């Protein structure tokens, strides 16, 4: 491809609306343009990178025995009513009517549609296992679409669904996908980690997320320094230490004035105790109903754990004014004693004795609060965020924390969808049984953003070679110089003949501009044909990632560059064989 013909509108300025680096660079490097909130056009360069991801995904899915199909994006409401998700899915599901007033939605995911296919077309155990996937545009009406391709409303996903005869076979399908995902992200040239993920009501370690490690990630991962344990903080279970189980509390319940003391730290200072002596009470909205949640004063509520304990579809924090409107409870002075709304507690709170808590009256707290004696929560469980002081849930070892971007999610579904949709097959004895299912997603467009979050510098994108729109950019720095121009053209053709994806910068621009754009768009190999060629017959090869430069004799430059690229790609492929 010739740069002069390529539709590649780069810009020098950092767009004000872009908060994270991948969003800024995707805009500046002419990869995407915004249509409206959460909706982007992929310009040629961005589309090329995304198609690179999709190609790797397809190769590895096929290799793992999955088969590609393509389902409609528009889905009829009746299927969603059968699964129960028409009611449950919430506002992320975009619903609309057709001209006959029939209800539809735009597919955010395809469990319903694929289960419908299975119940119509798969009848016997002899046809199983089956794993079907697609690469398709999804729509989710996200509350906060942001960060460009990272969290769009429309985005490209690979979604796969497996159907098996029983749990054991489904476990095997799951392991095959887990292995395929390792290969995919490895081949994309990304630094990533598979972690145990929250699997909602199903429980167990039947869900893994694949995280690209990057500071800007929206997810936090806990990693054990002694064993293999790695999990999303949403999932990481807090082990209660045995040492913590103290004697019974004996103090009487007394009221104490704490004027203006709304924050835990201030109450602690004022009463000369530590935050660990205070019971913190917070109100959340669970499926629209206010629930008071108790954690120790120095702890944070983990909302996903709360959602699971309550069996709620949605849990959200609410601001002080709304708490007051809904419950008439004074924020900052709330407490569990005689509280009039639903009450749940973190397990650790139930071990506290003679604690401090709000009195549900402005400017007042209670001393000598004892669980069991003074209040009884409706539910008790592991509700708080794990911290670095907690031991590893698997081995007790030391934990460290790191940020990640979720690029893939694999999930053992069991029979929830097949039972709801009555999707069955006949086993060996002619008995009808529900399929045991799994589902496996990859955010194909998000991978492009994640790759840039992980690989960039002040000058622009540094595409990992396997995802780069072009592998090499050849700079012609003598547009008006016959010898230089014809050498650049020759190198360009030579690389093309060797099957290398090459971009020739043949624009009538100053060298400085050409260098800047080459850096910005992040092409891994840059070959410059300029004055040094004219003088010494050499081509300068520069690696975008390291800045390392080498001089190559013009005659062998094409061959040498092609070899380097092949070797780099092969290395990524081989590391798991
Ligand atoms: P998240 O927690 O980020 O909202 P999710 O759990 O809703 O993700 P899944 O339903 O598991 O995501 O979707 C599969 C994959 O699709 C995710 O791992 C992610 O890579 C990608 N994905 C999900 N939502 C978006 C989005 N709004 N924009 C881009 N990619 C997305
Ligand atoms: Mg989501």
């Amino acid at each position: 491809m010739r740069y002069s013909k390529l539709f590649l509108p780069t810009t020098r300025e950092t767009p004000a609306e872009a908060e994270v680096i991948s969003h800024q660079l995707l805009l500046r490097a002419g990869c995407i343009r915004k249509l409206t909130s959460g909706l982007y056009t992929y310009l040629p360069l961005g589309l090329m990178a995304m198609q690179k991801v999709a190609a790797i995904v397809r190769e590895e899915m096929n290799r793992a025995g999955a088969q590609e199909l393509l389902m409609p994006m528009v889905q009829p409401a009746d299927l969603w009513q059968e699964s129960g998700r028409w009611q449950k899915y919430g506002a992320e599901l975009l619903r609309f009517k057709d001209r006959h007033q029939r209800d539809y939605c735009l597919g955010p995911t395809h469990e319903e549609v694929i289960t419908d296919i299975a119940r119509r077309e798969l009848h016997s155990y002899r046809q199983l296992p089956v794993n079907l996937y697609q690469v398709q545009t999804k729509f989710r009406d996200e509350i906060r679409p942001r960060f460009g391709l990272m969290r769009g409303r429309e985005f490209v996903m690979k979604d796969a669904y497996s159907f098996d005869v029983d749990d054991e076979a489904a476990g095997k399908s799951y392991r095959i996908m887990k292995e395929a995902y390792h290969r995919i992200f490895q081949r994309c040239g990304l630094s990533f980690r598979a972690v145990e993920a929250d699997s909602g009501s199903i429980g167990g370690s039947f869900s893994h997320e694949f995280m690209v490690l990057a500071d800007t990630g929206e997810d936090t991962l806990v990693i054990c320094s002694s064993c293999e344990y790695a999990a999303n903080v949403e999932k990481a279970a807090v082990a209660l230490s045995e040492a913590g189980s103290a004697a019974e509390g004996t103090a009487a319940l007394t009221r104490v004035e704490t004027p203006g003391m709304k924050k835990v730290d201030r109450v602690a200072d004022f009463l000369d105790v530590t935050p660990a002596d205070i019971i913190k009470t917070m109100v959340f909205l669970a499926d629209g109903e206010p629930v008071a949640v108790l954690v120790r004063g120095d702890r944070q509520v983990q909302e996903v754990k709360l959602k699971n304990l309550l069996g709620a579809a949605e849990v959200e924090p609410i601001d002080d004014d709304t708490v007051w409107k809904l419950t008439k409870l004074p924020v900052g002075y709330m407490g569990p004693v005689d509280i009039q709304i639903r009450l749940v507690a973190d397990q650790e709170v139930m071990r506290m004795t003679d604690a401090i808590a709000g009195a549900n009256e402005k400017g007042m707290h209670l001393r000598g609060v004892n669980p069991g004696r003074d209040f009884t929560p409706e539910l008790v469980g592991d509700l708080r965020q794990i911290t670095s002081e907690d031991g590893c849930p698997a081995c007790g070892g030391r934990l460290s924390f790191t940020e990640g971007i979720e690029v893939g999610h694999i999930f053992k579904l069991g029979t929830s969808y097949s039972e709801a949709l009555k999707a069955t097959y006949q086993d060996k004895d002619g008995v009808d049984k529900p399929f045991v299912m799994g589902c496996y997603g990859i955010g194909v467009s998000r991978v492009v953003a994640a790759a840039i979050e992980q690989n960039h510098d002040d000058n622009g994108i540094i595409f990992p070679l396997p995802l780069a729109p072009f592998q090499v950019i050849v700079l012609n720095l003598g547009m008006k110089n016959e010898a230089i121009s014809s050498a650049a053209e020759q190198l360009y053709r030579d690389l093309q003949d060797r099957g290398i994806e090459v971009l020739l910068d043949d624009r009538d621009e100053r060298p400085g501009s050409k260098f800047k754009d080459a850096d910005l768009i992040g092409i891994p190999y840059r070959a410059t044909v300029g004055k040094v060629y004219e003088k010494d017959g050499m081509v300068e090869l520069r690696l975008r990632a390291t800045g390392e430069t080498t001089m190559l004799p013009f005659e062998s430059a094409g061959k040498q560059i092609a070899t380097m690229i092949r070797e780099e790609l092969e290395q990524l492929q081989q590391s798991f064989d």
Side-chain angles (χ1 to χ4, degrees):
M1 172 65 80
R2 289 170 184 277
Y3 204 142
S4 59
K5 302 277 188 307
L6 182 62
F7 180 54
L8 176 49
T10 59
T11 55
R12 293 276 177 261
E13 313 77 50
T14 302
E17 87 260 25
E19 291 167 64
V20 297
I21 194 77
S22 64
H23 189 192
Q24 291 169 6
L25 289 175
L26 281 164
L27 288 167
R28 286 188 50 208
C31 290
I32 59 169
R33 285 294 178 264
K34 179 170 163 176
L35 177 61
T36 183
S37 169
L39 305 182
Y40 290 86
T41 298
Y42 303 92
L43 299 183
L45 205 72
L47 185 60
M48 283 180 214
M50 190 161 74
Q51 282 170 340
K52 286 284 182 92
V53 178
I56 293 171
V57 168
R58 284 190 167 100
E59 273 178 41
E60 293 300 335
M61 290 302 291
N62 295 344
R63 179 192 166 102
Q67 296 172 64
E68 185 169 1
L69 48 53
L70 185 58
M71 292 177 266
M73 188 182 178
V74 173
Q75 305 184 10
D78 11 333
L79 272 183
W80 285 71
Q81 270 147 1
E82 270 189 79
S83 74
R85 286 209 290 186
W86 187 254
Q87 281 75 30
K88 269 193 258 162
Y89 206 90
E92 264 186 35
L93 189 65
L94 182 63
R95 301 149 212 251
F96 58 95
K97 289 185 193 295
D98 70 1
R99 64 168 79 199
H100 305 295
Q101 300 307 306
R102 282 189 285 253
D103 287 312
Y104 290 87
C105 63
L106 280 187
T109 173
H110 279 67
E111 282 81 7
E112 281 81 359
V113 179
I114 198 81
T115 309
D116 182 59
I117 298 268
R119 72 178 167 186
R120 289 167 192 268
E121 311 299 337
L122 297 172
H123 304 296
S124 160
Y125 71 94
R126 286 194 207 89
Q127 296 169 283
L128 303 178
V130 170
N131 187 332
L132 299 167
Y133 78 95
Q134 62 177 346
V135 177
Q136 193 217 30
T137 299
K138 297 283 185 273
F139 190 92
R140 294 182 183 180
D141 203 352
E142 300 272 354
I143 310 186
R144 274 187 301 270
R146 55 187 177 161
F147 305 155
L149 298 190
M150 203 90 94
R151 187 169 296 282
R153 293 199 294 165
E154 209 179 277
F155 59 97
V156 176
M157 198 205 284
K158 183 283 297 177
D159 45 328
Y161 306 88
S162 62
F163 296 87
D164 278 284
V165 290
D166 58 22
D167 231 43
E168 193 188 332
K172 189 170 170 213
S173 294
Y174 184 88
R175 284 192 299 280
I176 291 171
M177 279 297 107
K178 194 163 173 235
E179 160 84 14
Y181 273 45
H182 269 104
R183 298 178 64 98
I184 288 169
F185 296 116
Q186 175 83 32
R187 278 190 58 192
C188 286
L190 297 169
S191 155
F192 69 98
R193 182 104 199 208
V195 302
E196 284 184 23
D198 171 58
S199 50
S201 52
I202 294 178
S205 48
F206 289 123
S207 171
H208 285 85
E209 285 165 346
F210 285 75
M211 298 284 188
V212 164
L213 305 178
D215 298 339
T216 45
E218 289 184 287
D219 286 275
T220 305
L221 324 179
V222 276
I223 295 171
C224 179
S225 50
S226 315
C227 75
E228 288 292 288
Y229 184 82
N232 194 314
V233 284
E234 295 173 347
K235 156 94 183 176
V238 172
L240 265 187
S241 68
E242 285 310 312
S245 47
E248 301 261 301
T250 50
L253 203 57
T254 49
R255 284 154 56 84
V256 45
E257 280 190 30
T258 49
M261 313 282 157
K262 290 174 91 173
K263 294 261 175 277
V264 167
D265 287 345
R266 296 207 46 206
V267 177
D269 277 353
F270 186 69
L271 299 177
D272 199 20
V273 295
T274 67
D277 300 317
I278 295 177
I279 297 173
K280 184 159 74 176
T281 308
M282 297 169 78
V283 178
F284 287 80
L285 220 48
D287 294 340
E289 188 196 352
V291 179
V293 182
L294 309 179
V295 287
R296 221 171 72 177
D298 55 339
R299 306 301 196 191
Q300 300 303 323
V301 176
Q302 174 31 257
E303 285 173 36
V304 174
K305 290 182 179 179
L306 176 62
K307 183 175 132 203
N308 290 341
L309 185 75
L310 292 169
E314 234 170 36
V315 158
E316 46 186 331
I318 38 181
D319 63 52
D320 297 1
D321 287 348
T322 317
V323 172
W324 176 252
K325 265 193 217 122
L326 290 176
T327 66
K328 294 287 176 282
L329 288 167
V331 176
Y333 307 99
M334 296 187 294
V337 183
D338 296 331
I339 196 164
Q340 295 304 314
I341 58 171
R342 288 181 75 186
L343 180 68
V344 299
D346 178 54
Q347 52 189 358
E348 198 176 36
V349 169
M350 301 311 283
R351 294 205 177 169
M352 294 171 73
T353 51
D354 300 339
I356 313 278
N360 294 325
E361 187 184 329
K362 204 164 172 234
M364 296 299 278
H365 275 79
L366 296 174
R367 276 186 195 276
V369 179
N370 284 294
R373 186 190 75 182
D374 301 324
F375 67 88
T376 310
E378 162 194 329
L379 292 166
V380 175
D382 172 14
L383 287 182
R384 74 163 168 91
Q385 180 110 340
I386 198 161
T387 70
S388 52
E389 287 139 46
D390 292 300
C392 163
C395 77
R398 207 168 48 77
L399 294 175
S400 65
F401 290 74
T402 181
E403 310 302 317
I405 301 166
E406 179 194 324
V407 286
H409 195 174
I410 58 175
F411 207 97
K412 201 166 151 193
L413 287 171
T415 55
S416 47
Y417 289 93
S418 47
E419 279 179 32
L421 273 75
K422 302 193 181 56
T424 59
Y425 70 94
Q426 273 195 350
D427 74 3
K428 280 197 186 72
D429 309 315
V431 180
D432 285 335
K433 294 213 169 125
F435 297 105
V436 183
M437 292 172 57
C439 70
Y440 317 93
I442 290 183
V444 174
S445 46
R446 187 184 279 182
V447 169
V448 176
I452 296 171
E453 289 295 332
Q454 197 174 66
N455 302 281
H456 64 267
D457 62 15
D458 290 346
N459 300 320
I461 300 173
I462 307 174
F463 273 116
L465 182 61
L467 306 188
F470 297 95
Q471 296 164 328
V472 191
I473 183 166
V474 173
L475 304 187
N476 177 352
L477 294 193
M479 292 303 295
K480 297 193 175 73
N481 178 312
E482 194 42 54
I484 291 176
S485 288
S486 81
E489 291 281 340
Q490 204 182 320
L491 178 59
Y492 170 58
R493 275 194 306 275
D494 183 31
L495 284 164
Q496 275 186 327
D497 291 345
R498 293 176 191 277
I500 297 300
E501 294 153 357
V502 52
L503 179 66
L504 172 67
D505 193 347
D506 59 344
R507 296 173 303 162
D508 193 11
E509 294 278 349
R510 282 176 298 112
S513 242
K514 292 192 175 186
F515 289 133
K516 275 216 169 68
D517 280 329
D519 274 357
L520 177 60
I521 65 177
I523 307 304
Y525 290 80
R526 186 187 83 191
T528 304
V529 187
K531 291 216 173 68
V532 190
Y533 168 75
E534 208 178 16
K535 214 167 119 248
D536 305 322
M538 303 293 266
V539 170
E540 185 206 73
L541 181 70
R542 180 171 178 274
L543 304 188
R544 176 68 183 86
T546 58
E548 196 184 320
T549 58
T550 21
M551 290 299 177
L552 306 176
F554 176 74
E555 291 68 35
S556 63
K559 188 173 178 204
Q560 277 183 272
I561 294 169
T563 307
M564 287 165 84
I565 288 173
R566 292 255 147 68
E567 281 174 357
E568 193 181 331
L569 288 174
E570 270 164 25
Q571 221 168 22
L572 285 170
Q573 290 228 32
Q574 277 165 4
S575 45
F576 30 64
D577 292 336

